[in-house]
């Protein structure tokens, strides 16, 4: 059975990358970092904590 785990939006404001994770519950998590790869890693780590294997 497939289900949506989260929606992720990534934007840039000046030098800062902003990731917005929207969970099915409606909870919104905002992550920021100046490094694009770091913000992606933060997103991956957050989702791994919420949905462990």
């Amino acid at each position: 059975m497939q289900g949506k785990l989260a929606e992720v939006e990534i934007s840039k404001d000046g030098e800062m990358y902003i990731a917005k994770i929207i969970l099915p519950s409606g909870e919104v998590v905002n992550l920021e970092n100046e490094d694009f790869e770091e913000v992606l890693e933060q997103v991956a780590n957050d989702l791994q904590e919420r949905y462990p294997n």
Side-chain angles (χ1 to χ4, degrees), residues 37-51:
E37 288 182 23
E38 287 290 324
V39 82
L40 291 178
E41 189 172 315
Q42 287 176 305
V43 169
N45 289 338
D46 185 275
L47 292 175
Q48 282 182 323
E49 287 177 15
R50 292 175 192 278
Y51 305 107

Side-chain angles (χ1 to χ4, degrees), residues 4 8-11 17 19-20 24 26-27 30-34 39-40 43 45-46 48 50-52:
K4 185 182 288 191
V8 179
E9 285 181 22
I10 298 177
S11 58
Y17 290 97
K20 181 178 182 180
E27 180 183 356
N30 290 299
L31 304 168
E32 298 182 1
N33 203 300
E34 292 180 355
V39 82
L40 291 178
V43 169
N45 289 338
D46 185 275
Q48 282 182 323
R50 292 175 192 278
Y51 305 107

Side-chain angles (χ1 to χ4, degrees), residues 2-36:
Q2 281 186 305
K4 185 182 288 191
L5 297 179
E7 290 184 35
V8 179
E9 285 181 22
I10 298 177
S11 58
K12 187 173 182 185
D13 184 11
E15 295 296 315
M16 191 68 67
Y17 290 97
I18 302 160
K20 181 178 182 180
I21 303 171
I22 305 162
L23 301 169
S25 66
E27 180 183 356
V28 176
V29 178
N30 290 299
L31 304 168
E32 298 182 1
N33 203 300
E34 292 180 355
D35 184 270
F36 184 70

